[in-house]
Amino acid sequence: QLVESGGGLVQPGGSLRLSCTSARRFFRASPMGWFRETPGKQRELVASFTTDGGSAYADSAKDRFTISRDDVKNTIYLQMNMLKSEDTAVYYCNTVDKYYIWGPGTRVTVSS
């Protein structure tokens, strides 16, 4: 039910905005987040909303990534700036406790 989009090939230092939507309304009680996965590594949470309405970021994403939402469109976004080669991964959205079935993800490749 989760569908991610917006990935692609970008040069180092570039930007991308990822989107995540669902046919069902996101549960407000379950904070949504963005995860990423690279070969050989566990899927990691890079950005999420918090239960108090704020947001939280992995150290690797701080000051570069911004999570946001549009409740009218039932869409979660991840604005990624100053991209680095190590940001190359498949990105997924889900609740922070991984409640939903995973979507297909969207691939981000940072390379010159």
Side-chain angles (χ1 to χ4, degrees):
Q1 293 179 340
L2 297 171
V3 179
E4 302 90 353
S5 63
L9 173 64
V10 62
Q11 292 186 342
S15 298
L16 283 174
R17 188 178 78 157
L18 308 183
S19 300
C20 163
T21 191
S22 171
R24 298 179 64 180
R25 301 296 299 183
F26 293 125
F27 296 121
R28 289 175 176 267
S30 302
M32 292 293 296
W34 282 95
F35 298 77
R36 68 185 180 189
E37 184 175 308
T38 56
K41 294 180 67 175
Q42 285 191 332
R43 198 168 294 185
E44 63 171 340
L45 179 66
V46 295
S48 67
F49 295 106
T50 57
T51 54
D52 62 358
S55 55
Y57 300 91
D59 287 343
S60 60
K62 281 179 183 177
D63 300 323
R64 299 188 301 123
F65 293 5
T66 303
I67 189 171
S68 62
R69 67 192 302 158
D70 184 330
D71 289 335
V72 173
K73 296 181 179 180
N74 197 46
T75 301
I76 307 294
Y77 300 100
L78 184 67
Q79 178 66 43
M80 304 188 297
N81 298 326
M82 296 182 288
L83 283 162
K84 306 175 182 179
S85 58
E86 50 262 46
D87 295 318
T88 296
V90 180
Y91 286 73
Y92 303 86
C93 63
N94 209 325
T95 60
V96 295
D97 59 357
K98 307 169 188 175
Y99 175 81
Y100 296 113
I101 296 172
W102 294 99
T106 186
R107 182 174 298 276
V108 172
T109 303
V110 184
S111 175
S112 56

